Amino acid sequence: MDEKKILAYRAVLSIVQTRDLVTRLPRLLTGSLEPIKENLKVSLLFFGILLFQVYHLELGFSHNEIRHLVYRIPKILQINKRKLTETFDYLHNIMGIPHNLMVHFPQVFNSKLLRVKERHMFLKFLGRAQYDPLQPSYISLENLVSLSDDMFCAEIAKATVQDFEKFQKTL
C-alpha cells in the first residue's frame, strides 16, 4: 500500500470510513492517484492535508458534504473532472438542485448527463419539473435517473414512452 494514498484518503475520511472505502473499491489503492488528484485538485502538503479546489471551491461543497460524497460513492473520485463539472453545472445552475439534494443522492454523478438533460427537458415541457422536496409533485434525483424509460414515463412524467421518444427526436 502506498502511504501517500492512505494519507490522502485519511485527510478526507475517518479510519473506519477509509477502511470501508478501500474494501469497497480496492482499485483506489492499486491504481494511480492521478485521476483523484485531477478531480480533487489534491495538493499533498505536510501531513497529508488536502486542498479540495474542485469540490470545495469550484462546486461549493462543504468539507462534510465532500466526505459524504466520497464515502457513499467512492467511484466519484475517479470520475472525469469535465464530466463531473458539467453534470454539477447542469444540476445546480439549470435544474436548480441545491447541494444538499446532490449529497443525498450522489449516484446522480454516475449517470449519463444526456439522460438527465432529456428527462429534465421532457418534464419541463410537461410542466412537471419539480425538484423541491417541500413542494407537491416532487421528483427525486433517484427517480429521475435510475428508473427505466417505461417506469419514468408511467410514474414520473405521466406520459407514454412514445411521447417521450417523439420529444427526444425534437432535441
Side-chain angles (χ1 to χ4, degrees):
M1 285 188 221
D2 187 346
E3 194 169 315
K4 285 183 181 178
K5 290 177 185 176
I6 295 295
L7 284 174
Y9 299 125
R10 281 287 300 121
V12 180
L13 305 170
S14 70
I15 293 171
V16 173
Q17 289 173 326
T18 301
R19 184 181 64 229
D20 186 46
L21 176 83
V22 171
T23 303
R24 289 188 293 149
L25 194 62
R27 286 183 296 169
L28 290 175
L29 282 181
T30 59
S32 169
L33 267 180
E34 290 310 311
I36 296 163
K37 284 181 183 178
E38 177 61 27
N39 282 352
L40 293 176
K41 286 291 188 201
V42 172
S43 299
L44 286 173
L45 301 174
F46 296 61
F47 306 106
I49 298 170
L50 302 174
L51 299 175
F52 297 98
Q53 291 176 343
V54 171
Y55 285 95
H56 181 63
L57 297 177
E58 291 181 30
L59 304 182
F61 287 106
S62 71
H63 183 77
N64 285 337
E65 289 171 331
I66 295 167
R67 180 182 300 221
H68 186 76
L69 286 169
V70 169
Y71 184 69
R72 292 265 320 268
I73 307 291
K75 192 177 178 182
I76 202 167
L77 292 171
Q78 297 177 320
I79 295 174
N80 177 286
K81 178 188 171 191
R82 193 181 94 247
K83 179 190 184 298
L84 177 72
T85 54
E86 285 176 356
T87 301
F88 174 83
D89 182 56
Y90 193 82
L91 291 169
H92 190 65
N93 297 324
I94 305 297
M95 295 173 63
I97 306 288
H99 288 87
N100 64 329
L101 290 181
M102 287 183 254
V103 170
H104 184 69
F105 188 71
Q107 293 88 340
V108 72
F109 292 107
N110 288 333
S111 303
K112 293 186 179 188
L113 182 56
L114 180 62
R115 181 183 193 113
V116 174
K117 284 181 176 182
E118 288 175 342
R119 289 182 174 196
H120 168 68
M121 287 189 281
F122 185 58
L123 290 171
K124 192 172 178 180
F125 174 76
L126 296 173
R128 301 188 52 79
Q130 179 54 259
Y131 307 110
D132 182 353
L134 301 176
Q135 298 297 320
S137 303
Y138 161 68
I139 297 168
S140 71
L141 289 176
E142 181 177 12
N143 287 339
L144 183 71
V145 299
S146 64
L147 295 176
S148 67
D149 282 347
D150 292 338
M151 297 295 286
F152 168 75
C153 289
E155 294 181 16
I156 306 301
K158 310 284 191 236
T160 66
V161 175
Q162 292 79 16
D163 291 339
F164 184 51
E165 289 170 349
K166 286 177 187 174
F167 180 81
Q168 286 174 313
K169 290 177 184 177
T170 66
L171 302 177

